[in-house]
Amino acid sequence: MERNYRFYAAQAAATGLLISAVKFPLNTGSFTSVVSQLELASVVMLMNHVPGAGLVGSIAAALGVKATVDEVDTSVSRTNKLVMLGGAGVLCLGLFMDKRGIKIFG
């Protein structure tokens, strides 16, 4: 398997989403639990190179940012989670757009 920039971008995005879902869990609630499950599902999709994983990852990151901003807790971990989700979301969106012919990474 060829390991180019897309491979490393997918692994970095998957790592960011995984850390976001596991290390900085959201408070229990119906919407936030769905967002955490979507983040974990997109991690599996990105690591297995499933078509459309970039789109699912960017949606999961965007919903994660919304859920994190809506949380009442204001702490350092909230800022870390926002940075982690933002970076993962940008990488996922770049992977999706690059696959569609819009060159983002190279």
Side-chain angles (χ1 to χ4, degrees):
M1 174 169 69
E2 181 183 342
R3 294 188 177 196
N4 56 7
Y5 63 92
R6 292 182 53 79
F7 174 81
Y8 294 110
Q11 299 307 312
T15 303
L17 286 168
L18 181 64
I19 291 172
S20 169
V22 175
K23 184 169 176 159
F24 307 115
L26 294 168
N27 293 337
T28 57
S30 60
F31 177 69
T32 55
S33 64
V34 169
V35 169
S36 292
Q37 291 173 6
L38 185 62
E39 287 175 354
L40 291 174
S42 65
V43 167
V44 173
M45 290 176 68
L46 283 165
M47 295 187 109
N48 289 321
H49 308 288
V50 175
L55 180 62
V56 174
S58 60
I59 291 170
L63 290 175
V65 166
K66 183 192 179 325
T68 304
V69 168
D70 290 347
E71 250 187 57
V72 178
D73 181 32
T74 56
S75 63
V76 175
S77 65
R78 178 180 175 187
T79 305
N80 291 344
K81 184 172 178 80
L82 287 173
V83 169
M84 194 73 62
L85 282 170
V90 166
L91 284 173
C92 286
L93 187 61
L95 286 169
F96 177 72
M97 299 300 280
D98 188 59
K99 193 70 169 182
R100 301 296 174 261
I102 302 170
K103 292 296 178 191
I104 302 292
F105 295 114

